[in-house]
Amino acid sequence: MRRFSLTSLLSESMRGHTGWGRQWRAPEPKPRYDVVIVGGGGHGLATAYYLATVHGITNVAVLEKGWIGGGNTGRNTTIIRSNYLYDESAAMYEHALKLWEGLSQELNYNIMFSQRGVLMLAHNIHDVQSFKRHVYANRLNGIDNEWLSKEECKAFCPPLDISGSLRYPVLGGALQRRAGTARHDAVAWGYARGADNRGVDIIQNCEVTGIRRDASGAAVGVETTRGFIGAGRIGVVAAGHTSTLMSMAGVSMPLESYPLQALVSEPVKPCFPCVVMSNAVHAYLSQSDKGELVIGAGTDQYTSYSQQGGLHITTHTLDAICELFPQFTRMRMLRSWGGIVDVTPDRSPIIGKTPVPNLFVNCGWGTGGFKATPGSGHVFAHTLATGTPHAINAPFTLDRFRTGRLIDEAAAAAVAH
Amino acid sequence: MAQPFRLSRGGRVDRTRPIVFAFNGKPVHGYAGDTVASALLANGIHLVGRSFKYHRPRGILSHGPDEPSALLSVDRGPGRIDPNNRASVVEARSGLRTTSQNHWPSLEFDVGAVNDLLSPVFVAGFYYKTFMWPRKFWDRVYEPFIRAAAGLGKAPTQADPDRYANRHAHCDVLVVGAGPAGLAAALAAARTGKRVILADEGAEPGGSLLHDTTSQIDGRPAADWLTETLAELDGRENVILLPRTTAFGYYNHNHVAMTERVTDHLTSAAGQAPRERLWQVRAGEVVLAGGAHERPLVFADNDRPGILLAESLRVFLNRYGVAPGRKLVFATSGASAYRAALDARAAGLDVTLVDLRLESDCGPELAQLRGAGVEVLTGHTVVGSKGRKRVTGLIVAPVGSDGRCGGRRILPCDCVGMSGGWTPAVHLFSQSRGKLRYDDAIDAFVPSISAQAERSAGAARGIYDLAACLTDGFAAGAAAAGSDERQAFKATETLTGFQPVRIMPTDANPTKVRAFVDYQNDVTAKDIKLAVREGFQSIEHVKRYTTTGMATDQGKTSNMNALGIVAGQLDKALPAVGTTTFRPPYTPVTFGALVGPARHALFDPIRTTPIHEWAEAHGALFENVALWRRAWYFPKAGEDLHAAVARECKAVRENVGIFDASTLGKIEIVGRDAAEFMNRLYINPWTKLAPGRCRYGLMLKEDGYILDDGVVARVSDECFHVTTTTGGAARVLGHMEDYLQTEWPELEVFLTSTTEQWAVIALQGPKARDVIAPLVDGIDLSPEAFPHMAMRTGMICGVPTRLFRVSFTGELGFEINVPSDHARAVWEAVFEAGQAHGITPYGTETMHVLRAEKGYIIVGQETDGTVTPDDVGMAGMIPKAKKDFVGKRSLARPDVVASGRKQLVGLMTDDPKLVLDEGAQIVADTNQPIPMRMLGHVTSSYWSANCGRSIALALVEGGRERMNGHLHVTTPDGFTRVTVCEPVFFDVQGERINA
Amino acid sequence: MLETRYRAARALPLGAASRPATAGSGVSVRPAGAEARFSLRARLAAGAAPKLAGLALDAPINTVGTDGETWIARLGPDEWLVGGPEADADLLQGRIHEALAGLPHSLVDVSHRNVGIDVSGRQAAAVLNAGCPLDLSEAAFPPGSATRTLLGKAEIVLIRATAAPLYRVECWRSFSTYVHGFLNEAVFGVEGSAAH
Amino acid sequence: MLLIACPNCGKRPETEFRCGGQAHIARPADPMTVDDGGWSEHLFVRANPKGVHAERWCHIHGCGRWFNALRDTISDRFIETYPIGEQPKSGVKPGTILGTSSATQSEARA
């Protein structure tokens, strides 16, 4: 692998950049791999990378039906934070955040992890209680998250209006300073390059059409549009398409796939320093390094694989953005897009074994998957390599829906009374 | 005033109405009907901006929405400044102040242009390869530098004084685009009598007919046909003609979103009219007639100011009467540029044309142009341009059939019109999720399989000949309206046909050539090739890695060239590389238009009760609860929250308090099976509840967790008056209707929301009875006749009431339900009657404290969607004999019956003055290492004036086993010790309530 | 004393609302006065079609009938909204019970829950369409139409009883400030339109 | 925004409706006799098909009635809507993947 650095960049610039090779190969699939990962998004590629680097398992294929990073990895608002309430979620996302902090160097790929801080605004007394509950829980879990008065919020995010004239005035906020954003595409490409360099085969335009099981019921490989590929273990990491894939092995999942929309404005000079989230009015806003305001919208109410939602979801989101930041009404929406998010009943992921031997699944990240990418890949690699879950993903079983041991962050945030 | 490049005649501008606007502080003169671009060109101004990355001088490329380079900040007055406006679509008017962007200190002398020298380093994706060391530098040095360099104009900083409107509309046929095909389609559809909407993004409908000065349609000049057609459409009741209206989004089920620009072009204040209007059209059928976009040619330094698209050059000549130069060179690989050259020649300009095609591949246009006395160099490529802030010459060379270039020749010029062929505007078709097909004959993707009820017509599907466009449009319009009518139009033959070219052949070292593909994002052909070499081979990957097609023009001029270069590099057929999926919007849309009226007071409804104005007049502060605004507390002069609440709390327990509980949800449940229905929905039993009696009801979701609670009165055998929480009203009614309609349709029960029919005045405190006694008619208020948890109907202050004897404070209490329009009067009468008893109005904060003193839970505060009845000590309400109710089965799940669940307890701090933070976490041992084991959290915490100390409720793991034990609770700077106690702090025996 | 003082005085939430809004569009937005309203729920037996004020309850869903004073809007298969003069409230209630004797039904007084706003004028439909997503053309929403729907972020019942360009917007009390404000804003929103 | 044919009110915009998820999941007659696995399936496991989906909708801001629908989750096109308690008439089975045949084309216009 040609190492990326200022030196190599400068030396290449002398010769028209003709010396850069492929960042990852385009190999033909082998007949069999120790591990086959279905889904070439950030989570799948990270899984392959950590299988190779942490567990020394390099006879690995990542199968992607389209192009890598083309699903939710490339369709989100790139927010990264770890200030979750429950121990289980906090451990997972903090594990990821720690990996994010060194990821550019680890991958030798600038994924532009920007710790500009994520500020969650409290607009009513219930928000205040809920956010303080998070702040205290995070403190005891060793996760940075601090309560800011509204004046401190304004100091941290000057575009904010704290005059009290808003429909839902800002009462304060919870700030995680280590949180921020990253360049989503680069995450997929960086992991792909790192995994490929260690021998992992990344096979694009290869759609899985079936999961083959032996007489004992164990999974032994996948049928694909490029033929059968044998596998010691199979890890399905396919976000919105998980239900479809798992049904190929006869496994029904507690999942529903919804369209999730996001949009960006035209690029402008820096005008917004951090990430602001407002659950009360449903607004998520940051400014990309390119200058676009990046705005997350909500999910549509129905399941769909169309990657297209309704206009009313967009307008509803912009209502909230322009209520919080009335100076932005003359900005323009440049692009909008939709992803397919797979949502579990408790809105927490499922990572681990399935009823089918040798078949493992990592899904159900809902709207929160991007931020977990390195952590998710890391613990799933452990699960695939050892056949048992890592301590961090052990609580995120499929079985919890039977026992009732749910990890319901959304319910914990509750509703206004 | 002098407009040196304005032709002496021609064009559709109104020469009797001169206008003047500012560009970078200098006056620019033009005429009504000009765009900012045409007026600038009329004044010889080509340099209008600096490019995104390299800060290269840039001019005006296009006349329309595909313009990538000429982006200006436009100032229309205070609060009305916005960036990134395309000069080619902003209608010029007096008073505008326009400024160029992305340069320092000035447009002419831009320090950022040093980036151009560094361009060998700043190639596609260079930033992924560097800026990684030292690690800390990213946030502090590199990223701030990149951010400052990026972006185009400056974001607005003031609130926008303009108004925006929304309009839902329906029609049988929506026609998008009022060029020849769209007009013919609208005509055909309109003649059937169906409802037609015709929308066009231009200031004037007509499309190419507005600058077609030579064609004839059915024997008369095209302009005349246009006038007649518009007159016919305008005269029809069933047609809505919308100029300045861009259809930008094609959503599900023929929902098409369009923005109409209503006032930006008006000089005089437009009264109260909105700036823009969002049209949300639900169309029976859609005809897409959005035309086609011209492709630039990709050659070295093809981005110099003065180099325009050939057809745009023709538009400036014919529509605006502006000559973008005096000595013109057209460079082309197709026929349409010949038409522009002919028109330029006819306008008296010096014209040369360079055609990549061999002589033998050219059509009749060649002879035509030569016949007009124009020099035409066929079989010639363009290898570069001369000039810096303005093109001064085009470097051309003959190219052999082997692709080799012959001797170079410089054609001096002050303006270039280039044409690399045409790309149908399939954006909306693609948004509708129709499938595209690559048409080899015209080197373009065209609509193939529809996914919705739409059809494309004319150039939008690759039909470029005028007569064919008209005929096609008419057929599409008629078919969309369900008519078999067809009409064959006759028109002057259009010069069509081109030879696809990705990168112009060149003799230069390809690693040195900078030929721009995406002008705005400064993406060169070299960048695209680099991306492909590095393994980015899907067009989506190439886009994301190089940023080609990601700028504000969304690749309208660049996509096909980029795609072609990728295909060439991979040696694949173009369709094998695929095309990108188009997503809304077609052109950028202001947030304001999308928000419409939903701003300020109309952002979200503010729900208020009939008592609201009274509370306001009595100094209440309010809190938001769901959509409601509720009185929070009633401070007297000099009181803060703490002091006011302490006073209110004491007043209730000592005398009497009055509280507005109107926001509580209310549902009237009526029918033969009402009790059975209640049995199934609540954990409690209802069959034996006597009419006139009340019961506290608790409702679960099917997953076993608490959904809502409230007091329920049985009005009669077949009628219950149910109350819900304020925020839960709609949710509970929805939950009930769902079960009633879908699970138990056999039950004869009807549900009606009466939340707003009844206002609720809560009167709480030992003197409550004394206050209302003189006001009530027909109800015996004595404790024997009217015990706690009873409901009576009668009159109060002369209006009917359902009077509840209930208490959320632990005191003697009444909740007076009266019809809402009478509530203010009754409230005032009660307040007046209460004066003698020390009546005190109180708000939600005091309500919270008083109920916490008694350990009454609030759903949503003590519970959070993961709490069961047993967790809050209410499992005893479930009758043993009850076989089923919603949520019962889930209460038997292994982890729900397991020990160690969090249970509701009270907490008392060692320091009685210390009020815990709500949300504070609880641990057993403060010396354990992080991560600590948390046992639960504080759900409610207050200063209790009545107890003379702080009190708190908490959910604690195994809490009921920990009575009188010590735990530790987080504080802002550490921990504090607490003692676990029963969750009741005042009147533990509960005697006061029965007073 | 108290009785006479309060019985007559219904304090309507928009009672103090500003003058009827009219702008260049000529649309008038006017809060209605005090009226009696009932939510009627009933399961009609096959063939049995009780009549009320001469209006059949089995009229198609989403239609309204009126005898000039009383109006009955059928909002769903088993739901009607009935309106009439304030003074006739008790009478009306009695008549409904009488008409439905023997049929399972529920009649709930919602006079104070609902607030009426009348929108009239040539462009009334366009004003409503600022927030109402329905097709309000003559063909799709002719005189005699009534339905529950949305206006912006509020639920309304929209009633067009007569041929005049006059629409009754009924909403819940606490939404009336929003709905009234929305309609007033929408009056401006139709200005400057190229389309009429 | 979808356009949904309410069986009572005809085609109305999606914002008037609330989606209630998968249809035809009947509440067990006696839930206490269902084992933990079965109850978990009842509560949580959903078909989530890429293709035809049977789902519940409520015309909450219209007639207030619940009904069922068959919708293709790939194209978001409705195949039919039908009353609660009934089965679809079209005979299209949930889970079916519809092609872009001319038949479905004409449905786009239906």
Side-chain angles (χ1 to χ4, degrees), chain B residues 390-403:
Chain B
R390 175 76 182 266
V391 66
T392 58
L394 203 61
I395 311 169
V396 303
V399 58
S401 53
D402 57 356

Side-chain angles (χ1 to χ4, degrees), chain A residues 68-121:
Chain A
I68 61 166
N72 294 343
T73 302
R75 294 169 184 275
N76 64 85
T77 53
T78 81
I79 297 173
I80 293 165
R81 61 182 181 90
S82 69
N83 50 352
Y84 280 70
L85 177 67
Y86 287 123
D87 299 349
E88 298 89 340
S89 332
M92 172 66 76
Y93 289 102
E94 179 63 16
H95 182 52
L97 182 52
K98 291 216 169 83
L99 290 169
W100 278 115
E101 286 176 322
L103 199 57
S104 289
Q105 291 72 29
E106 154 114 31
L107 296 177
N108 179 233
Y109 208 102
N110 188 355
I111 53 110
M112 303 185 188
F113 179 47
S114 168
Q115 291 181 291
R116 57 183 72 176
V118 173
L119 178 63
M120 302 172 77
L121 298 177

